[in-house]
Amino acid sequence: MSPAVYLFTLWVKFSSMSSVLGLLFLAIGVPIILSSVAVDGKTADLLVNLVNGPTLAMAISYTFMQDNIANTRQMNDGEYLSLLFARPLTRSQYIVSKWLAGSTGVFIIMMLNILTFNTAQTLQGRNTVVDLNFWSMSDLILNALSYSALMVVIRSFPMRLGIAVFIILVYASLIGPALSFSMSSYEGAIPAVYMIFQALVFISNFLHHFVFPGIDLFEVLNTTRFSVLPLVTYVSNILMYLLLGTVLLSRREFSYGEE
Amino acid sequence: MSEKTTCIKIENLVKTYGRGRTRALDGISLEIGNGEVFGLIGPNGAGKTTLMGCLLSLLRPTSGDIHIFGYTPDNLRVKELSAFLPERPNFDAWMTARQFMSYHHMLAKLPHKTSKQDVEEALRQVELDPSAWDRRIKKFSRGMLQRLGLAQMLLGDPKLCFLDEPGSGMDPIGANLLRKLLLNWKKKNVTVVLNSHHLDEVERVCDRVAFIKGGRIHQIEELSNISKEEITIIVKCSPELEMPDDVLCSDIAATLEGHYFGITEHCLRFRLKHEKDKASLVKALVEKQVAVEEVFQERRGLEDLFIALHNEDLRR
Ligand SMILES: Nc1ncnc2c1ncn2[C@@H]1O[C@H](COP(=O)(O)OP(=O)(O)O)[C@@H](O)[C@H]1O
Ligand SMILES: [Mg+2]
């Protein structure tokens, strides 16, 4: 862990008006929009899921990782990383610092996001809000850590591949709740359509369980038959992503002529 | 001076790009002593930057070994002791000079307590105007950027400095500053590795230079062996009249214990042992009916060695 890289990654977000506005939009704009489009209790529930779920967290994390882990060419960066890695900084320290900085960013922005959402809901006289208690807070932190680990890997991919994977993941994270929501109103519909829905939900669930290394601490700790398996999965997922990020970064060579 | 200990040891270094398609380094073996100022000289594409990249562990050698202070180049201890100026640095343009320096102070793992003082000291040493310290880097002129690049090297008193083409595109004031810093390092027994195709600034400070081309070292020269007395004389002849022949010029040069290089675009090129022979040379040429129009003089130095080496290569 390098304090310099950690602080830099958070600080760089305040370097330009556009990135500050982008974060403000995610923190305050999105929840206000979501809250104002809710038409009934059901939609409100869906929106609560969205605020709680991985989509926003991933988007925020992705933004925090933007300042280059390994796909340098996009920034036309000359020998930016050359100078950085000529300093006493290992590639794994770099990855871990980016990861922790991203997680911090996600936590802060998500807190703002939820508080704004809840305020907006209350002001409109609705009672569907995101619960803020010990369990949801710890989930927020744990999920921030895991989504950021995933984003570290995506940001270590070559530029285009990274964007493609990100879009697929966002799509998968959105489609799950959206589909199960609309499915309830389609139960009597044509069987073929219903089956397609089910298949999509299945794929989305699959991605949820194997790609998004999320965790629900309350469920893990308060079931009658306690199992360490979810915890192990959670931790090993993060470790695997960090390791993958480090490997991808270590394979990289830094020179201006690089292909 | 005491016996020099080895700082950098390179053995049989090979580096290829593109699955072996480009052989950028083709078996480099080299030892650089502690406190030595070492110049790597060669044309574009010679492999200078690649060699430096391997020394900084930014590139992975295809084969061969490098040891710096007895460690492999990726050892953090080595990086704590070294400083680097890239050929095409790209700074965080949104930061102010002071912020950038503080960031690098932190990256270099220097004690936070002395940060402000160290940063200001370095900025002062590169003579960056204090009014620019809190200005954003994106507003900097080229010369100011070069100063900032040098300033970040000074943080933490490095024992080993790598500079990749520091002089290219520098104005005379910048070049002067660079020379001052190099001499300062030399005085402090800091080892310096300097890449260059621009020879002037190197000539005055390097202890040794290696001529590198096509990924190989062709020659290593100790600069103390090159007489500072020797000069190059260029004699421009009138283009309307007939040019003197090579034999005549060689003979004249020989009588003055000098050397004749040949003719290019109506210019004869000589090397002389002493400056005082210049008049004799011109006199002899005029006596042999050579239509001398103008006479230029260059200090004999790396430039000539470089050209000689280059020509030799072309002839091969
Ligand atoms: N990243 C790279 N990929 C492919 N070829 C490269 C790369 N970097 C340098 N080269 C090639 O390696 C050779 C040496 O380059 P370089 O070390 O930059 O030379 P110099 O610094 O002496 O100008 C050149 O032929 C160059 O085209
Ligand atoms: Mg170069």
Side-chain angles (χ1 to χ4, degrees):
Chain A
M1 156 76 172
S2 154
V5 174
Y6 175 82
L7 292 175
F8 174 88
T9 308
L10 291 174
W11 182 28
V12 73
K13 287 289 134 212
F14 298 94
S15 64
S16 74
M17 209 44 168
S18 60
S19 78
V20 171
L21 288 178
L23 286 182
L24 280 180
F25 176 72
L26 288 173
I28 294 170
V30 169
I32 287 180
I33 293 171
L34 286 181
S35 166
S36 58
V37 297
V39 285
D40 55 17
K42 232 179 196 177
T43 344
D45 276 339
L46 176 67
L47 298 182
V48 170
N49 277 338
L50 192 60
V51 174
N52 255 337
T55 318
L56 274 173
M58 280 202 302
I60 297 164
S61 182
Y62 191 72
T63 322
F64 270 92
M65 301 290 154
Q66 163 182 25
D67 300 283
N68 257 319
I69 292 178
N71 41 0
T72 61
R73 289 250 292 181
Q74 108 211 43
M75 265 177 93
N76 184 22
D77 72 337
E79 294 180 283
Y80 183 84
L81 289 176
S82 299
L83 185 56
L84 192 68
F85 284 108
R87 296 284 175 200
L89 171 70
T90 64
R91 315 241 168 147
S92 54
Q93 282 168 349
Y94 183 74
I95 288 286
V96 168
S97 311
K98 285 276 169 187
W99 167 58
L100 289 176
S103 308
T104 311
V106 171
F107 177 72
I108 294 171
I109 304 288
M110 282 306 278
M111 279 305 292
L112 286 173
N113 186 297
I114 290 170
L115 290 176
T116 311
F117 183 77
N118 286 357
T119 312
Q121 288 288 82
T122 314
L123 285 180
Q124 295 180 73
R126 299 205 194 96
N127 50 13
T128 34
V129 292
V130 180
D131 248 348
L132 277 180
N133 53 36
F134 170 77
W135 300 110
S136 65
M137 291 287 276
S138 26
D139 281 355
L140 200 59
I141 294 172
L142 291 174
N143 287 336
L145 288 169
S146 61
Y147 296 133
S148 293
L150 179 59
M151 290 306 130
V152 164
V153 176
I154 289 180
R155 282 296 191 180
S156 303
F157 286 159
M159 176 71 174
R160 287 211 189 119
L161 179 62
I163 291 179
V165 174
F166 178 70
I167 290 174
I168 290 172
L169 289 181
V170 166
Y171 176 75
S173 71
L174 275 176
I175 205 162
L179 280 179
S180 25
F181 169 71
S182 48
M183 219 152 66
S184 50
S185 43
Y186 275 96
E187 241 152 298
I190 317 154
V193 175
Y194 190 66
M195 263 166 64
I196 291 171
F197 269 129
Q198 268 190 323
L200 286 174
V201 170
F202 176 79
I203 293 171
S204 150
N205 282 343
F206 178 83
L207 284 173
H208 262 276
H209 284 108
F210 290 94
V211 184
F212 308 129
I215 191 165
D216 186 336
L217 202 60
F218 183 80
E219 291 227 329
V220 172
L221 298 182
N222 291 283
T223 43
T224 40
R225 289 181 54 209
F226 173 76
S227 151
V228 289
L229 195 66
L231 283 176
V232 171
T233 317
Y234 171 82
V235 172
S236 63
N237 244 329
I238 289 185
L239 289 180
M240 193 190 71
Y241 285 141
L242 294 181
L243 188 68
L244 189 56
T246 305
V247 168
L248 286 171
L249 184 60
S250 302
R251 276 171 42 85
R252 276 280 308 277
E253 298 195 307
F254 300 115
S255 71
Y256 53 79
E258 127 187 71
E259 294 291 306
Chain B
M1 210 192 281
S2 62
E3 177 113 352
K4 280 202 170 139
T5 47
T6 305
C7 173
I8 301 178
K9 190 177 168 109
I10 306 168
E11 290 163 285
N12 248 319
L13 190 67
V14 174
K15 172 69 192 171
T16 62
Y17 291 112
R19 298 200 176 80
R21 260 177 285 136
T22 316
R23 213 171 166 81
L25 297 179
D26 191 11
I28 301 263
S29 294
L30 185 64
E31 276 190 34
I32 298 174
N34 265 317
E36 190 170 19
V37 179
F38 194 91
L40 272 165
I41 313 251
N44 279 331
K48 305 181 294 292
T49 301
T50 303
L51 180 54
M52 205 166 261
C54 291
L55 291 174
L56 287 158
S57 82
L58 301 170
L59 302 172
R60 279 185 306 277
T62 308
S63 67
D65 281 313
I66 301 172
H67 285 95
I68 302 176
F69 301 121
Y71 303 105
T72 52
D74 59 348
N75 194 300
L76 289 194
R77 190 76 198 114
V78 174
K79 304 207 170 196
E80 279 165 14
L81 294 170
S82 3
F84 172 43
L85 179 66
E87 185 173 355
R88 302 170 201 186
N90 185 342
F91 306 121
D92 301 278
W94 54 275
M95 288 187 183
T96 66
R98 199 198 285 272
Q99 289 168 341
F100 174 78
M101 291 289 286
S102 309
Y103 174 42
H104 273 265
H105 191 273
M106 211 171 169
L107 279 171
K109 296 191 190 158
L110 298 169
H112 182 67
K113 261 199 322 235
T114 61
S115 177
K116 187 169 189 291
Q117 181 190 333
D118 294 347
V119 164
E120 291 184 355
E121 174 58 28
L123 290 173
R124 214 169 293 133
Q125 262 195 66
V126 298
E127 294 159 21
L128 189 71
D129 196 279
S131 68
W133 292 3
D134 293 304
R135 215 179 296 158
R136 282 180 190 262
I137 296 172
K138 68 164 132 307
K139 301 226 168 82
F140 274 27
S141 70
R142 203 186 152 86
M144 290 159 83
L145 287 173
Q146 284 165 342
R147 272 156 212 265
L148 187 63
L150 290 169
Q152 58 84 24
M153 293 191 74
L154 298 172
L155 295 169
D157 269 326
K159 293 280 161 288
L160 172 59
C161 292
F162 295 97
L163 298 98
D164 198 355
E165 314 252 357
S168 59
M170 251 188 197
D171 58 20
I173 303 168
N176 214 31
L177 169 75
L178 173 63
R179 197 147 44 235
K180 219 168 80 185
L181 292 178
L182 288 169
L183 287 172
N184 209 1
W185 280 323
K186 194 165 169 166
K187 210 163 64 197
K188 291 205 237 166
N189 213 37
V190 173
T191 311
V192 177
V193 181
L194 194 148
N195 283 355
S196 185
H197 62 252
H198 172 93
L199 301 152
D200 213 29
E201 101 247 3
V202 178
E203 182 172 37
R204 306 191 194 192
V205 288
C206 284
D207 299 311
R208 281 194 301 160
V209 295
F211 293 94
I212 178 170
K213 199 172 173 219
R216 287 165 188 262
I217 291 181
H218 284 245
Q219 197 176 337
I220 298 183
E221 284 280 335
E222 224 158 286
L223 284 208
S224 50
N225 290 349
I226 299 174
S227 160
K228 302 280 193 253
E229 280 273 281
E230 290 194 2
I231 56 167
T232 296
I233 301 288
I234 295 158
V235 179
K236 187 163 182 262
C237 302
S238 166
E240 283 96 55
L241 299 175
E242 204 183 322
M243 291 293 127
D245 66 48
D246 285 351
V247 180
L248 173 73
C249 293
S250 295
D251 284 350
I252 291 174
T255 58
L256 297 165
E257 291 183 76
H259 191 79
Y260 172 64
F261 287 110
I263 188 162
T264 41
E265 295 182 26
H266 313 296
C267 288
L268 311 172
R269 200 175 173 92
F270 295 92
R271 184 199 295 160
L272 296 177
K273 278 247 161 71
H274 305 285
E275 195 167 347
K276 64 178 166 49
D277 293 334
K278 187 168 69 175
S280 319
L281 173 73
V282 177
K283 186 160 165 265
L285 286 171
V286 172
E287 275 170 4
K288 297 289 180 194
Q289 319 292 322
V290 178
V292 174
E293 244 188 24
E294 270 177 278
V295 180
F296 307 95
Q297 159 179 350
E298 280 172 11
R299 200 146 264 307
R300 143 112 172 98
L302 290 175
E303 194 92 44
D304 274 353
L305 269 179
F306 193 53
I307 288 164
L309 191 79
H310 189 66
N311 290 343
E312 209 175 284
D313 243 52
L314 290 182
R315 259 181 261 126
R316 247 184 239 156

